[in-house]
């Protein structure tokens, strides 16, 4: 499937790696990046922040422990995690295999 | 819950109107608008386009017939519908009650 295909079934686009979280691009312009972060159980994403860009995650499936600001929260399907510009965020640990939609504006 | 709350369970934020699709804001900055479009069965959203802004929908629950470009597609939970700047898009008809995440960058 082309990354810029206008209709995409997200679970079908998920891809996993044994060694670390896998990233999949779904759309990219100067204004917006949309992708997937795909975690095997126990995988993580280092806490980081984006200067001048707002980001959010939406958990599509699975369960993972997110860090956002000074909080750590366990999130499941249907949870939105917002990381406005400058707010530290990451994933401390995926408790199960997890597929997470991510969007960043403007694109990094 | 504050609109800018950093962690939001999206189904809990959904709201519906008897007369038309309901919109819920989840996050807004100059760079990014994140919200929900909430449909009762049979409700629609007129086809429109955004100049200079990229938009996407993710169906969180339910089933609806989306228009994007020259296509009409039936989308269900986990489907991503992309509407890059200038591409006409809308919802011809929700087949069931449906909750759809929407993001626009930059915010309108």
């Amino acid at each position: 499937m082309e990354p810029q295909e206008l209709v995409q079934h997200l679970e079908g686009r998920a891809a996993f790696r044994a060694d670390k979280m896998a990233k999949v691009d779904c759309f990219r312009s100067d204004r917006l990046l949309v992708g997937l972060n795909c975690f095997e159980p126990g995988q993580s994403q280092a806490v980081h922040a984006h200067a001048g860009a707002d980001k959010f995650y939406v958990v599509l499936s699975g369960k993972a422990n997110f860090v956002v600001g000074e909080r750590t929260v366990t999130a499941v399907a249907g949870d939105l995690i917002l990381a406005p510009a400058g707010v530290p965020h990451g994933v401390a640990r995926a408790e199960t295999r997890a597929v997470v939609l991510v969007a960043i504006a403007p694109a990094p």
Side-chain angles (χ1 to χ4, degrees), chain A residues 34-58:
Chain A
V34 184
L36 299 177
N37 289 176
C38 304
F39 298 85
E40 292 285 17
Q43 290 182 342
S44 61
Q45 180 185 47
V47 174
H48 61 290
H50 301 278
D54 298 317
K55 175 173 175 180
F56 68 92
Y57 302 97
V58 176

Side-chain angles (χ1 to χ4, degrees), chain A residues 4-108:
Chain A
Q4 307 284 34
E5 174 67 36
L6 296 185
V7 180
Q8 302 178 35
H9 187 64
L10 291 169
E11 288 288 337
R13 302 229 45 225
F16 296 89
R17 295 176 55 143
D19 57 333
K20 62 178 180 179
M21 177 198 80
K23 294 184 181 185
V24 175
D25 271 15
C26 296
F27 175 80
R28 183 186 283 272
S29 72
D30 291 342
R31 294 173 285 259
L32 177 66
L33 170 66
V34 184
L36 299 177
N37 289 176
C38 304
F39 298 85
E40 292 285 17
Q43 290 182 342
S44 61
Q45 180 185 47
V47 174
H48 61 290
H50 301 278
D54 298 317
K55 175 173 175 180
F56 68 92
Y57 302 97
V58 176
V59 180
L60 299 176
S61 63
K63 184 177 183 179
N65 303 318
F66 287 78
V67 176
V68 58
E70 300 187 347
R71 299 172 58 184
T72 300
V73 297
T74 301
V76 296
D79 284 338
L80 169 71
I81 297 97
L82 289 162
V87 173
H89 58 278
V91 175
R93 184 176 186 277
E95 294 194 14
T96 66
R97 179 176 271 208
V99 178
V100 180
L101 177 85
V102 58
I104 308 176

